Amino acid sequence: MTKQIWLNLPVKNVSRSKEFFSELGFSFNTERGNTENSACMIVGEKGVVIMLFEENTFKNFTNTDIPAYGTEVLFSIDAESRDDVDAMAVKVAQAGGKIFSQPASSQGWMYGFGFADLDGHRWNVLYMDMSQIPA
């Protein structure tokens, strides 16, 4: 049965993407998955793996072109507080990401923002106050 999931993302420049995500506070597995064409990014306490692959390497795996439009996936990551959301928004802007949705409240119990990384992949950072969820 399935024991783990990891995600594969195409990037134009593995080194620059690794630098970008490091500036946001993400960590990387330095023992495995790191070559000039790949990087193994670790996300969250449960250690979800997101593999960053140079575009040609990614195309070799998928045998398809990489779409240049739209949003097929929105990666959502949690934050521990509203202040953490705001701090991440500052880090994203400083690291060269594009904020497409400014930090704001939603539905009375969520606070977050959205950004695109260097390759246009879209991310959502949310603080969810479970005590405020309507009954």
Side-chain angles (χ1 to χ4, degrees), residues 46-60:
K46 296 195 177 183
V48 172
V49 173
I50 298 181
M51 290 297 300
L52 306 176
F53 286 105
E54 186 273 328
E55 287 181 344
N56 285 331
T57 302
F58 186 87
K59 286 181 195 179
N60 286 335

Side-chain angles (χ1 to χ4, degrees), residues 19 79 94:
E19 180 182 315
Q94 290 174 341

Side-chain angles (χ1 to χ4, degrees), residues 4-36:
Q4 185 178 5
I5 186 170
W6 62 91
L7 309 168
N8 300 311
L9 284 180
V11 298
K12 290 176 180 41
N13 183 313
V14 170
S15 177
R16 179 60 187 116
S17 291
K18 190 174 177 181
E19 180 182 315
F20 172 80
F21 286 109
S22 292
E23 288 178 30
L24 301 186
F26 291 95
S27 62
F28 288 83
N29 181 333
T30 57
E31 296 175 14
R32 288 185 241 129
N34 288 300
T35 70
E36 66 181 54

Side-chain angles (χ1 to χ4, degrees), residues 6-134:
W6 62 91
L7 309 168
N8 300 311
L9 284 180
V11 298
K12 290 176 180 41
N13 183 313
V14 170
S15 177
R16 179 60 187 116
S17 291
K18 190 174 177 181
E19 180 182 315
F20 172 80
F21 286 109
S22 292
E23 288 178 30
L24 301 186
F26 291 95
S27 62
F28 288 83
N29 181 333
T30 57
E31 296 175 14
R32 288 185 241 129
N34 288 300
T35 70
E36 66 181 54
N37 296 323
S38 66
C40 180
M41 184 167 71
I42 309 300
V43 179
E45 294 173 357
K46 296 195 177 183
V48 172
V49 173
I50 298 181
M51 290 297 300
L52 306 176
F53 286 105
E54 186 273 328
E55 287 181 344
N56 285 331
T57 302
F58 186 87
K59 286 181 195 179
N60 286 335
F61 294 149
T62 63
N63 293 317
T64 61
D65 289 329
I66 298 167
Y69 61 89
T71 301
E72 185 174 89
V73 174
L74 175 64
F75 297 97
S76 294
I77 53 179
D78 66 338
E80 292 186 30
S81 69
R82 292 172 63 105
D83 288 341
D84 285 349
V85 170
D86 292 338
M88 180 65 88
V90 170
K91 287 179 185 179
V92 166
Q94 290 174 341
K98 180 181 178 186
I99 295 176
F100 63 81
S101 177
Q102 293 293 325
S105 294
S106 175
Q107 301 178 26
W109 61 280
M110 291 186 290
Y111 181 78
F113 79 102
F115 73 93
D117 64 24
L118 302 179
D119 294 282
H121 304 295
R122 291 188 169 232
W123 298 77
N124 190 30
V125 179
L126 290 173
Y127 166 65
M128 297 176 280
D129 185 348
M130 300 304 193
S131 70
Q132 298 300 313
I133 294 176

